[in-house]
Amino acid sequence: MISNTTHVCPTEISIILNNRIRRWLQNPRKILGPYVKEGVDVLEVGCGPGFFTLDMAQMVGKTGQVVAVDLQEGMLAKVREKIRRSEAGQNIVLHKCEEDKIGVSGKFDFVFLFYVVHEVPDKGAFFRELVSVLKADGLIYVVEPPLHVSKKALEETIKIASDAGLTVVDRPRRFPDKAVLLKMA
Ligand SMILES: C[S@@+](CC[C@H](N)C(=O)[O-])C[C@H]1O[C@@H](n2cnc3c(N)ncnc32)[C@H](O)[C@@H]1O
């Protein structure tokens, strides 16, 4: 069940997240290139319709894996359809989570959270769970949208992440978005 405490991006408007103009403005290969290499194990929480997912699967190659998680079955169905139509994606595992429990096992090199953290009701529990599945030298990349998330709100998120055992490694410039790269403290 999805609570009413935070707004969750509905499946019906997923076209906004999945189109050519966005690909030009937010090129997945450019955004992910510094972090996602051959053999990397990626956890993408809030994958939505999979704008980044298939690119990441190609970037990690046969020796890596992408676990793509979303709260909404409708979003996962869109990723499933993309995989079906593509030659890539055999290394993608789809997982439907609860809003207060990601529920994946294993350890990951890279956790990707694009436009999702502001939709998560209990950010403390969310980051604590991510810490439990992050490799010791792993990275968590948080990108938040410019309009929904103020500078102050991002700082509050960073404080919550630090309380969960993370520290800031970098603040990648992603104007107009707000971005932060975290690792284990
Ligand atoms: C604004 S969309 C972004 C989707 C994708 N990251 C992108 O950039 O195209 C946010 C996504 O996060 C998902 N979401 C919201 N709350 C979540 C939660 N607590 N756990 C997992 N996914 C969540 C929503 O269902 C939605 O698909």
Side-chain angles (χ1 to χ4, degrees):
M1 204 178 89
I2 301 175
S3 75
N4 291 325
T5 50
T6 48
H7 172 78
V8 172
C9 175
T11 304
E12 292 71 29
I13 62 160
S14 64
I15 184 71
I16 295 172
L17 298 168
N18 218 9
N19 58 71
R20 279 168 198 250
I21 297 171
R22 186 178 183 201
R23 236 186 131 71
W24 179 68
L25 292 171
Q26 295 182 328
N27 185 309
R29 303 266 172 164
K30 280 195 188 152
I31 293 173
L32 294 160
Y35 318 106
V36 178
K37 314 276 184 201
E38 180 88 32
V40 162
D41 287 324
V42 175
L43 173 62
E44 181 187 20
V45 185
C47 61
F51 177 74
F52 294 98
T53 315
L54 273 94
D55 280 281
M56 283 197 285
Q58 285 172 345
M59 292 164 86
V60 302
K62 287 190 179 135
T63 54
Q65 192 181 47
V66 177
V67 177
V69 176
D70 206 283
L71 192 57
Q72 301 182 80
E73 178 50 41
M75 292 293 195
L76 294 173
K78 290 190 183 295
V79 189
R80 207 171 282 119
E81 179 56 19
K82 268 187 159 180
I83 295 171
R84 197 185 63 76
R85 283 189 277 114
S86 154
E87 282 174 11
Q90 303 315 305
N91 54 351
I92 298 173
V93 175
L94 298 178
H95 172 74
K96 185 183 172 311
C97 67
E98 303 300 322
E99 73 176 354
D100 53 358
K101 178 101 187 132
I102 303 165
V104 291
S105 54
K107 292 278 183 184
F108 298 89
D109 302 288
F110 184 69
V111 176
F112 190 50
L113 308 172
F114 204 100
Y115 287 4
V116 63
V117 176
H118 64 284
E119 295 188 8
V120 175
D122 186 345
K123 296 177 182 53
F126 184 70
F127 280 110
R128 283 193 295 279
E129 190 176 355
L130 290 177
V131 164
S132 74
V133 294
L134 188 67
K135 287 187 187 170
D137 57 350
L139 294 172
I140 299 180
Y141 192 13
V142 178
V143 182
E144 291 283 70
L147 299 178
H148 303 52
V149 179
S150 65
K151 208 173 159 214
K152 184 167 171 260
L154 182 69
E155 293 314 312
E156 282 165 10
T157 291
I158 293 171
K159 166 81 175 69
I160 294 169
S162 333
D163 291 345
L166 296 162
T167 188
V168 174
V169 190
D170 191 16
R171 291 180 182 253
R173 291 178 66 176
R174 279 236 35 86
F175 183 83
D177 296 330
K178 299 176 178 71
V180 64
L181 193 66
L182 304 163
K183 66 167 185 160
M184 294 291 201

